[in-house]
Amino acid sequence: MGEIKEFCRRLSSRNNLINEKTGVLKMQKRKLGNSNLEVSALGLGCMRMTYGDSPVGDRQEMISFLHAAVERGITFFDTAEVYGPFTNEELLGEALAPFRGRVAIGTKFGFKHDPDKGPSPTVGLDSRPEQIKRVAEASLKRLNIDAIDLFYQHRVDPAVPIEDVAGAVKDLIREGKVKHFGLSEAGAETIRRAHAVQPVAAIQSEYSLWWRTPEEDVLPACEELGIGFVPFSPLGRGYLTGKVDENTTFASSDIRSRSPRYTPEARKANRVVIDLLARIGEQKGATPAQIALAWLLAQKPWIVPIPGSRKLERLDENIGAVAVELTSDDLREIESAISTMTIQGDRYPVDLKKMTGR
C-alpha cells in the first residue's frame, strides 16, 4: 500500500494540488447542477460501513476513518435509513457532529418499514407523503442535524405519483428540515415531472465505464434541467480496481454473490475493461481505479462520484484520481476501446433490477 500512497503524493504535488503548509491534498469542489450545493469533487459512499456485506466495519474505526476523510477534504457523505437499517445514519450523526456546517450529508427515504426490522428492499416501497415526513424527522435525529442537506427518494414508488413525492419534500424544504431534493435510479420522464413541482438538485444512479445506461436519457435530462449527477458504484463494486477476478469469493450477504455481472464467468470475460484501465493507467502513472474515477470526473463538471471505502489506503488512492488529467486524446482512446467491448451480465438480480429506471 505504500507505493499507492507515495504515487498519490507525487501525482498531487506534480499537479500543484498539495497544500504546502499542511501536506494534504487540496480537494477540488463542484456544484451539483444549478443548486447552490457545493461539495468535494469526490464524495464518500458510507453504506458498507454498516451494511451490505460481512463483516461490517468496527464502529470506532469507522468514526476515525470518517474524521480522516474530512481532514483530506471530503465534504460529501452518502447514507440512507435502510443501511443497517438506521445504524449508518447513527454512525454519521456521531462521527460528523464536530464538522457540522462544513460537510453535506445525503440520505434517503422510500422503503417500506417492517414492524420489527425497519425499512428493507425486500419488504417493498413506501413513498407516501406522510411516510416521507416521518422518515425525515427520524433521520434528522439520527444524523444529529437541523436540516438534511440532500434528501433522495431511494427508488421510485409506482404506487405514489412522483408529484406527491416532490410536494412532500417541498413542504419539508419550506419548513427548513430539508435543503435539497434528490432522486435515485429514476427515469428521465419521472425526473422531469418531479422537477416541475420541486427543483431536483441531484440524481443518484449507478454510472461507470462498465455501466453507461444513464448516458442515454438521464444525463441529457440533467444537463437540460441543471441537475447534478451522483454516480454510485463508480468502481463497479470493486471490479474496476482490478483486484477482483474470477477466483474472488463473496459472502452470501454481499449483493455481488447473486448479481449476474459478478459470476466467475462474467468476471473473467469482463477483464478486457481492466486491461484498458491498466493500459491508460500505465501511461498516466495511475492505478485502474484512478483512471475509472478520472474518466467520470471528466464527463461533466456537475458529476460527483461517491466511491465507497473503509480503508485509508483505498481512500487515498481514490482521492488521487482528482489529480489525474485525462486529455481529449485520452478520452477518445478510452471511448474507442470501450465501444468495441461487450460487457457480460446484468448489474442487478431481477428483484432489484425491476426497481430501477422508472
Side-chain angles (χ1 to χ4, degrees):
M1 289 299 98
E3 64 272 17
I4 289 177
K5 190 170 184 179
E6 175 61 17
F7 160 75
C8 293
R9 186 197 66 76
R10 288 187 286 105
L11 181 64
S12 302
S13 178
R14 187 173 72 216
N15 288 280
N16 195 32
L17 289 173
I18 286 288
N19 184 313
E20 294 182 1
K21 291 184 178 180
T22 65
V24 175
L25 179 75
K26 293 184 288 187
M27 175 58 71
Q28 299 171 17
K29 296 288 186 71
R30 292 189 166 197
K31 283 192 176 181
L32 289 171
N34 293 339
S35 74
N36 61 0
L37 183 54
E38 186 178 64
V39 296
S40 50
L42 280 182
L44 180 62
C46 301
M47 181 183 77
R48 292 180 59 250
M49 295 179 186
T50 64
Y51 176 85
D53 59 9
S54 183
V56 297
D58 174 80
R59 187 176 183 86
Q60 287 306 313
E61 288 180 1
M62 292 301 94
I63 289 173
S64 297
F65 177 79
L66 287 162
H67 288 181
V70 176
E71 291 167 1
R72 284 159 168 75
I74 301 293
T75 65
F76 188 34
F77 297 85
D78 185 81
T79 184
E81 63 158 3
V82 74
Y83 300 160
F86 307 134
T87 53
N88 206 264
E89 286 184 325
E90 291 168 351
L91 171 67
L92 266 63
E94 179 179 351
L96 298 179
F99 311 105
R100 190 179 298 171
R102 293 172 49 190
V103 300
I105 300 174
T107 192
K108 310 177 193 75
F109 63 87
F111 286 115
K112 190 176 292 184
H113 284 218
D114 179 279
D116 299 318
K117 299 180 180 179
S120 169
T122 61
V123 179
L125 299 168
D126 186 356
S127 281
R128 293 171 299 149
E130 59 269 29
Q131 176 69 356
I132 294 171
K133 293 176 182 180
R134 280 196 294 268
V135 171
E137 295 288 354
S139 291
L140 284 169
K141 292 177 182 177
R142 286 190 292 268
L143 291 168
N144 192 26
I145 53 178
D146 298 322
I148 298 168
D149 297 292
L150 181 56
F151 203 31
Y152 295 99
Q153 183 187 37
H154 210 150
R155 292 293 185 271
V156 174
D157 185 349
V160 181
I162 195 63
E163 290 82 1
D164 293 353
V165 174
V169 178
K170 186 172 188 172
D171 290 343
L172 290 166
I173 291 173
R174 285 173 176 163
E175 294 168 15
K177 296 174 181 178
V178 169
K179 295 180 182 179
H180 300 281
F181 176 36
L183 298 171
S184 180
E185 292 278 25
E189 181 58 29
T190 298
I191 293 167
R192 294 179 189 280
R193 288 168 52 198
H195 191 75
V197 176
Q198 168 60 44
V200 177
I203 301 299
Q204 182 180 132
S205 293
E206 183 169 355
Y207 182 40
S208 68
L209 260 176
W210 80 337
W211 181 257
R212 298 178 64 179
T213 298
E215 294 175 352
E216 296 172 5
D217 54 10
V218 171
L219 285 177
C222 287
E223 186 151 38
E224 175 190 339
L225 300 173
I227 299 172
F229 191 82
V230 179
F232 70 80
S233 297
L235 296 175
R237 294 184 173 86
Y239 187 80
L240 299 182
T241 65
K243 294 175 171 57
V244 174
D245 61 23
E246 63 269 27
N247 298 314
T248 304
T249 58
F250 303 119
S252 60
S253 58
D254 191 319
I255 189 174
R256 292 174 295 184
S257 68
R258 59 191 186 97
S259 295
R261 185 158 291 189
Y262 300 90
T263 64
E265 297 78 14
R267 281 180 265 153
K268 185 175 181 179
N270 292 331
R271 288 294 299 183
V272 290
V273 181
I274 304 303
D275 294 341
L276 168 64
L277 293 172
R279 186 173 77 247
I280 301 297
E282 188 173 352
Q283 297 170 12
K284 295 291 180 180
T287 67
Q290 289 170 332
I291 296 300
L293 291 172
W295 179 84
L296 276 173
L297 291 167
Q299 298 309 298
K300 299 292 180 182
W302 35 266
I303 287 179
V304 179
I306 50 167
S309 181
R310 296 184 298 190
K311 297 180 180 179
L312 278 178
E313 58 265 29
R314 291 278 78 80
L315 178 66
D316 287 337
E317 180 181 2
N318 292 344
I319 290 174
V322 177
V324 176
E325 296 180 4
L326 295 178
T327 66
S328 55
D329 287 342
D330 295 328
L331 294 171
R332 279 193 293 269
E333 180 182 352
I334 293 171
E335 183 66 33
S336 176
I338 204 76
S339 66
T340 67
M341 301 175 188
T342 300
I343 307 301
Q344 302 293 318
D346 285 339
R347 64 179 178 132
Y348 275 141
V350 175
D351 61 323
L352 295 180
K353 183 180 179 181
K354 66 183 181 182
M355 291 186 180
T356 67
R358 293 187 176 121

